[in-house]
Amino acid sequence: WVQEEAPDVLCLQETKCGVSAVPPEIRALPGLPHQFWASAEGRPGYSGVGLLAKTEPLNVTYGIGDPEHDADGRVVTAEFPSLFVVCAYVPNAGRGLVRLEPRLRFDAAFLEFLRRLDAQKPVLLCGDLNVAHAEIDLCHPRANRANPGFTPQEREGFTRLLGAGFVDSFRHLYPEARGAFTFWTYLGGARARNVGWRLDYAVVSRRLLGSLCDSKIRSTVAGSDHCPITALLAV
C-alpha cells in the first residue's frame, strides 16, 4: 500500500520498537530512504514513532522539549524548506482515565511546542492524537462521554489547538461527513459494522489552507486497528 500511495513523507505511530528493531522491509522501502525513529527509553514495545521521507529534511528533532514526556518517544519533527512535518503519537488517557492528568499536561506542552514551530514556518501535524473532537467523530458519542479519547478535557484540548491557528484538514474539507473513522476496536466485529472513532488527523497551520488539496481517510486499507490517512498539499 505504501508503494502504491508513494508518499513524500510517511508518518508512523505506535511502532513499539527501537531503531535496531525496525524490520528490514521497512528499512528498504523504495522511495523513502531518509528514516528517523523514536522509541520509549527503557520500555521496549511501548509507544514509538517513525518519520520516513523521500527527500532529506533540513533538520530533524525528537520530542517536544518536555522531560516528562520526551522519554516516551512520541514526537519526531522534520523541517523542510516550506514547512515542518510533525509525526506524533499522543498519550492515551488510559482505562478508567488513570492517565488523564499526564495526558492533559502533554496536550498543553505539545501546543506550546507547535506554536513555537508555527512562529518559524507553517506546520503539518500528522498522527494518532487519541481524541475524537466532536460527536460526529465517533459512532456512539453518548456512551463514551467518560471514556478516554472523548472526555470534555481532551476535546477541549483539541479545541484549543484549533484556536491557536491550526485546522483539522479533513473536517475543514468535509464538515458534514459521517461515519468517517480511522480506528475500530478488534472486538465485536466493529470494523465490519463501522463502529469506530476518528482519532488520526492531519492538522495544518491556517496559512497552509491555500495549499491543501485534499485530506483522505484510507478506510479500506487493512493491517491495523487504525487505517492510514493521507494529506495532499501543494507546497
Side-chain angles (χ1 to χ4, degrees), residues 1-22:
W1 177 82
V2 172
Q3 292 182 58
E4 289 175 1
E5 193 78 352
D8 294 300
V9 180
L10 175 67
C11 296
L12 304 173
Q13 297 85 39
E14 202 173 2
T15 53
K16 297 187 175 183
C17 70
V19 175
S20 61
V22 174

Side-chain angles (χ1 to χ4, degrees), residues 9-13 15 19 34-39 48-53 57 59-64 70 72-80 84-89 106 110 113-114 117 123-127:
V9 180
L10 175 67
C11 296
L12 304 173
Q13 297 85 39
T15 53
V19 175
H34 307 285
Q35 303 189 7
F36 309 92
W37 304 92
S39 59
V49 293
L51 187 151
L52 293 72
N59 187 44
V60 174
T61 60
Y62 299 85
I64 59 175
D70 284 354
D72 285 349
R74 294 188 175 276
V75 178
V76 173
T77 301
E79 179 183 0
F80 295 96
F84 290 103
V85 178
V86 180
C87 173
Y89 174 44
F106 178 93
F110 191 39
F113 171 76
L114 294 172
L117 293 180
V123 174
L124 167 61
L125 163 63
C126 300

Side-chain angles (χ1 to χ4, degrees), residues 146-164:
N147 287 334
F150 199 60
T151 63
Q153 299 96 316
E154 292 165 298
R155 296 168 67 193
E156 287 164 10
F158 194 85
T159 298
R160 282 192 292 273
L161 173 65
L162 301 183

Side-chain angles (χ1 to χ4, degrees), residues 67 75 121 133 138 147 161 173 179 184 188 215 221:
V75 178
K121 62 176 66 173
H133 183 224
L138 72 167
N147 287 334
L161 173 65
L173 294 171
W184 306 261
S215 185
V221 180

Side-chain angles (χ1 to χ4, degrees), residues 58 79-84 120-123 207-208 234-235:
L58 302 175
E79 179 183 0
F80 295 96
S82 56
L83 80 169
F84 290 103
Q120 301 172 57
K121 62 176 66 173
V123 174
R207 62 191 186 280
L208 274 179
V235 294

